[in-house]
Amino acid sequence: MSRKGQTILVTGGAGYIGAFTVLELLNADFEVVVIDNLTNAYQASDKKKPECLLRVEELTQKHVAFHSVDITNRKELTSIFQQYKFDNVIHFAALKAVGESVAKPLEYYRVNVSGTIVLLEVMREHGVYRMIYSSSATVYGLPDKLPLTEDMKTGDCTNPYGKSKFMVEEILKDLCVSDKVWSITSLRYFNPVGAHPSGNIGEDPNGIPNNLMPYIAQVAVGKREKLSVYGSDYNTPDGTGVRDYIHVIDLAVGHLQAISHQHPSGFQVYNLGTGRGYSVLEVIRAFKDASGKDIPYDIVDRRPGDIATSYADASRANAELDWHATRNIDDMCKDTWRWQQKNPDGYKNVSSPFCPDACSIKSK
């Protein structure tokens, strides 16, 4: 089947990674339906879609169907599957802050685990058996060695967010073993950062950012006074945590490659990362070079659930998905800074003039 004839359901498609993946799907001639409960997305009261999707439509000059739906609501979800015939599901919808998950474990298990079960049940009821799952490097927990490879032990997770992703992967594995009709690919992300080169779409966290790059950007633009660096006594070259940062566009393209190379059946897993780790202080220096701004920071205590170092071996994705990360830390910082300068208050800054009411995607 050609991409032109395929309709993809994207859960959580108004989130940061979701919006970029929707953009790449539209550019590749897929038809896209997005559901999102708008927990992490801005929608103006006079608009029918979240601002990020309006901007995606403006950039692609294509339409995306949007429905405000929570994946834990079986009735709402069923109604979407009754309206459209889906060829595949890309499942992003989840709560995703490590620190918050420690404070609110029940909420994370309800949304991330129970919500996924509801989605899988509704998919089965409507004969949809293909999924690309948004997983995380946190499933590896405390690594015995680096870089992280897909065949390494998972499950020794240090926080409820990571545990929820591990639990869902186990459910997906069992499901694929139970019935060969299922084909599910789990993509284990490392640390997505960056923005679109146009500066029109990027990461827009609600409230205080939980992740390093958007916090640095808000300090650089003057929205926040200084950065807190959580821990300087890790066993790393400069004592600060080391992570594998991947440009969000490279990550989004990985989902298209996963669809193009999806196995006929079974459970497959791939790391999506660059294979290169950067410390917090290295990222601060790179952002200072990109922005020309000083980034004041304080060293504070470690956060619960954090580990010292994490970076990927992405050779399996390179070989089997024909996927490669092509953008480096300088690209990530420059694109983030362009987005932050253009949108100091995120998507609340300016509403897109491109707001089509009609959607080109046909219902069943």
Side-chain angles (χ1 to χ4, degrees), residues 301-352:
D301 291 339
R302 298 183 184 187
R303 288 184 302 190
D306 277 350
I307 62 174
T309 304
S310 175
Y311 61 93
D313 178 338
S315 57
R316 180 183 291 182
N318 300 159
E320 297 183 18
L321 302 183
D322 191 24
W323 174 87
H324 300 268
T326 62
R327 296 162 179 84
N328 61 28
I329 192 68
D330 295 327
D331 299 321
M332 300 173 205
C333 291
K334 288 174 184 175
D335 288 342
T336 300
W337 179 232
R338 189 180 300 110
W339 152 258
Q340 191 68 66
Q341 281 186 297
K342 198 170 181 179
N343 304 272
D345 294 315
Y347 288 117
K348 299 178 187 67
N349 250 42
V350 181
S351 225
S352 167

Side-chain angles (χ1 to χ4, degrees), residues 9 11 32 47 55 57 77 81 90 109 119 146 154 162 166 183 199-200 218 232 244 248 250 252 264 301 306:
L9 173 65
T11 75
V32 183
K47 302 297 182 184
R55 296 191 187 189
E57 289 180 320
L77 199 55
F81 277 80
I90 302 181
Y109 293 129
L119 174 62
L146 292 167
T154 59
F166 166 73
S183 176
N200 287 338
Q218 290 188 9
S232 61
D244 187 337
V248 66
D250 284 333
D301 291 339
D306 277 350

Side-chain angles (χ1 to χ4, degrees), residues 117-149:
I117 291 172
V118 172
L119 174 62
L120 290 165
E121 289 174 342
V122 174
M123 287 173 64
R124 183 175 59 186
E125 288 164 9
H126 292 84
V128 181
Y129 299 106
R130 300 174 75 80
M131 174 187 279
I132 309 298
Y133 175 60
S134 166
S135 190
S136 167
T138 56
V139 300
Y140 292 111
L142 293 167
D144 295 326
K145 61 178 182 177
L146 292 167
L148 294 163
T149 58

Side-chain angles (χ1 to χ4, degrees), residues 38-242:
L38 303 180
T39 297
N40 289 305
Y42 172 72
Q43 181 172 342
S45 58
D46 60 338
K47 302 297 182 184
K48 295 182 178 180
K49 296 176 186 175
E51 178 64 23
C52 63
L53 295 182
L54 294 177
R55 296 191 187 189
V56 165
E57 289 180 320
E58 189 173 12
L59 287 166
T60 61
Q61 291 297 295
K62 295 180 180 179
H63 303 301
V64 56
F66 171 73
H67 299 272
S68 180
V69 169
D70 191 307
I71 60 165
T72 63
N73 189 317
R74 184 183 300 272
K75 183 177 178 181
E76 290 182 352
L77 199 55
T78 297
S79 134
I80 298 302
F81 277 80
Q82 289 171 342
Q83 290 180 58
Y84 303 97
K85 180 174 174 56
F86 297 118
D87 298 286
N88 215 322
V89 175
I90 302 181
H91 179 31
F92 293 108
L95 299 175
K96 64 182 182 64
V98 167
E100 183 184 61
S101 77
V102 175
K104 300 179 178 180
L106 288 181
E107 287 84 345
Y108 272 69
Y109 293 129
R110 182 182 66 83
V111 174
N112 296 6
V113 181
S114 298
T116 301
I117 291 172
V118 172
L119 174 62
L120 290 165
E121 289 174 342
V122 174
M123 287 173 64
R124 183 175 59 186
E125 288 164 9
H126 292 84
V128 181
Y129 299 106
R130 300 174 75 80
M131 174 187 279
I132 309 298
Y133 175 60
S134 166
S135 190
S136 167
T138 56
V139 300
Y140 292 111
L142 293 167
D144 295 326
K145 61 178 182 177
L146 292 167
L148 294 163
T149 58
E150 292 88 347
D151 57 359
M152 290 173 66
K153 182 185 73 172
T154 59
D156 186 20
C157 306
T158 59
N159 56 76
Y161 167 69
K163 289 176 185 176
S164 74
K165 290 293 182 180
F166 166 73
M167 289 175 185
V168 171
E169 281 201 358
E170 293 299 295
I171 291 167
L172 298 177
K173 289 177 191 176
D174 290 342
L175 186 59
C176 289
V177 168
S178 74
D179 191 339
K180 301 303 181 186
V181 73
W182 288 94
S183 176
I184 299 177
T185 301
S186 183
L187 302 178
R188 292 175 181 165
Y189 308 161
F190 281 68
N191 292 72
V193 296
H196 194 270
S198 67
N200 287 338
I201 59 173
E203 187 169 9
D204 182 23
N206 285 334
I208 300 173
N210 289 301
N211 297 324
L212 176 63
M213 188 72 83
Y215 206 115
I216 291 176
Q218 290 188 9
V219 171
V221 84
K223 190 172 181 178
R224 302 200 180 273
E225 181 183 356
K226 57 187 173 181
L227 173 73
S228 293
V229 176
Y230 295 99
S232 61
D233 57 350
Y234 287 107
N235 184 23
T236 63
D238 62 22
T240 64
V242 171

